[in-house]
Amino acid sequence: MSLFPRVKGQPRPQYPSWVSMLKNFLVFITRVPLVLTVLTYFLQPYWLMLVQCFRELGLNDAGILTVSLTLLHSVTYCICNGFYYFLDTHKYLQQYKMHRTPAMEHSGDQFKHTLAAALVSHVLVTPLVIYSSYNLVIKDYFMVPDEELTDFTILFFGYATAKVVNSMGFYWAHRAVHHPALYWIHKQHHSYVGTIGVSAEYAHPIEQLVANQLPTILGIVLTARHPLPTIIWLWERLEQSYQVHSGYAFVGTLPHKLGLTHASGAAFHDFHHTINSGNFSEPWIDWLFGTMDPWLVQGSEEGYLARKDKSEN
């Protein structure tokens, strides 16, 4: 639970070169933002049709955003985590399941408590927070739901900014709650040593607000200022978070080769849960602030994923 994770008895490992990290960062701020920008323009006509349906039902702007985000959140949660639950229970694609020991498995009671907490969050907390936030904070700043999108370049910049703001904000909030004085906030989330998809949202309310919700929403709200990019960005963040906590790293698959998975991020964060230290956010940020020593010592992604093969031999 060290704030500055080091490997005892060993000198600091050789960190990747700045060239490789620069490449990692450039991919980070271009690939996903570009995909999301194209997707946003593709979905805009369907979004306008949906907004018209909501208006005919009598929903105002706050209601449209609240219903849209709440439905997206719950549907994404059920589809993604239902898929991972299906893989776990029916033992499909287990070659992509990361290393697990009996001590790392969650209990049935813990799983039930996680689902109950998620139900309260999705049905009560999330709609209330969205509706209140819109009326109290962003109503006069946000575009109306059926307004035309901004320029392609501005939208791309908005997504790229959201990526950086989210990752940097999460890094410092996450690193802070690993301090012994604040770890009581983070302890609930780390009760899952071997994570599963639903554990992504299993966190103390303070952590949910400061480490998860604010970093996620701040960048996109300040730059895109439109409901549709906000909704698409939230979908991307949710899908990423569920996959990163799923316990699966789909390295080597066709989607992974095409850059359509978060397999490397899943391995990076899964390692964090197994040792409860380091790997606080994205590799380029942990490289920048020197918090990935244990990850490098055990061989980075290749070494971590090889632990499963070693345990089975």
Side-chain angles (χ1 to χ4, degrees):
M1 203 167 63
S2 170
L3 193 61
F4 299 95
R6 301 288 180 260
V7 180
K8 292 183 179 180
Q10 295 191 33
R12 295 207 68 185
Q14 180 68 41
Y15 268 53
S17 68
W18 70 267
V19 175
S20 65
M21 282 296 103
L22 178 61
K23 178 182 177 181
N24 179 278
F25 176 72
L26 291 176
V27 171
F28 171 83
I29 62 169
T30 55
R31 186 175 63 192
V32 170
L34 181 59
V35 172
L36 295 183
T37 302
V38 173
L39 181 63
T40 304
Y41 278 98
F42 173 77
L43 292 177
Q44 184 182 23
Y46 305 100
W47 164 251
L48 294 176
M49 293 170 57
L50 181 62
V51 169
Q52 183 60 36
C53 292
F54 283 145
R55 296 226 184 272
E56 292 175 358
L57 292 173
L59 293 180
N60 59 15
D61 292 350
I64 291 173
L65 186 66
T66 301
V67 171
S68 300
L69 287 175
T70 300
L71 286 176
L72 177 85
H73 186 189
S74 296
V75 170
T76 305
Y77 181 94
C78 292
I79 292 177
C80 292
N81 293 317
F83 172 69
Y84 298 126
Y85 181 76
F86 176 82
L87 296 185
D88 283 339
T89 55
H90 294 277
K91 304 303 178 184
Y92 288 130
L93 301 179
Q94 293 303 292
Q95 66 270 34
Y96 301 109
K97 183 76 173 180
M98 286 180 279
H99 173 69
R100 292 291 184 267
T101 65
M104 296 167 67
E105 298 294 339
H106 60 277
S107 67
D109 288 341
Q110 185 181 23
F111 183 68
K112 293 177 183 177
H113 188 269
T114 301
L115 293 182
L119 180 63
V120 173
S121 175
H122 285 235
V123 175
L124 296 176
V125 178
T126 296
L128 180 61
V129 169
I130 296 172
Y131 191 84
S132 300
S133 299
Y134 184 87
N135 284 300
L136 296 176
V137 181
I138 63 176
K139 180 179 179 179
D140 297 328
Y141 177 76
F142 233 41
M143 298 179 185
V144 296
D146 39 12
E147 189 169 345
E148 289 293 323
L149 290 169
T150 55
D151 179 78
F152 186 97
T153 304
I154 296 175
L155 186 55
F156 172 82
F157 174 77
Y159 282 128
T161 301
K163 287 277 288 181
V164 174
V165 169
N166 173 72
S167 298
M168 193 64 75
F170 178 73
Y171 176 88
W172 286 110
H174 187 192
R175 185 169 172 177
V177 295
H178 268 269
H179 189 281
L182 298 175
Y183 188 71
W184 59 272
I185 299 173
H186 197 41
K187 185 176 181 179
Q188 176 178 329
H189 185 63
H190 268 282
S191 63
Y192 279 91
V193 179
T195 58
I196 57 176
V198 296
S199 66
E201 296 182 9
Y202 189 62
H204 190 281
I206 296 177
E207 179 177 358
Q208 283 280 28
L209 176 63
V210 177
N212 298 335
Q213 295 171 359
L214 286 179
T216 292
I217 208 69
L218 187 61
I220 196 68
V221 167
L222 292 177
T223 54
R225 300 176 49 227
H226 192 287
L228 181 56
T230 303
I231 291 168
I232 292 176
W233 168 247
L234 178 62
W235 166 78
E236 151 65 17
R237 283 290 298 119
L238 290 170
E239 190 279 325
Q240 177 192 24
S241 186
Y242 299 145
Q243 186 178 153
V244 163
H245 287 85
S246 69
Y248 290 87
F250 299 107
V251 174
T253 62
L254 179 59
H256 176 67
K257 293 177 181 177
L258 294 175
L260 300 177
T261 74
H262 300 286
S264 295
F268 194 76
H269 191 68
D270 200 75
F271 178 75
H272 169 81
H273 272 267
T274 62
I275 69 166
N276 202 9
S277 182
N279 291 25
F280 294 116
S281 183
E282 296 284 344
W284 65 270
I285 304 179
D286 282 278
W287 174 88
L288 186 63
F289 296 109
T291 48
M292 57 195 304
D293 283 27
W295 173 249
L296 296 173
V297 167
Q298 60 84 52
S300 301
E301 180 182 315
E302 182 178 352
Y304 183 62
L305 295 180
R307 290 175 61 179
K308 179 180 179 181
D309 296 330
K310 293 178 182 179
S311 66
E312 293 176 348
N313 293 333

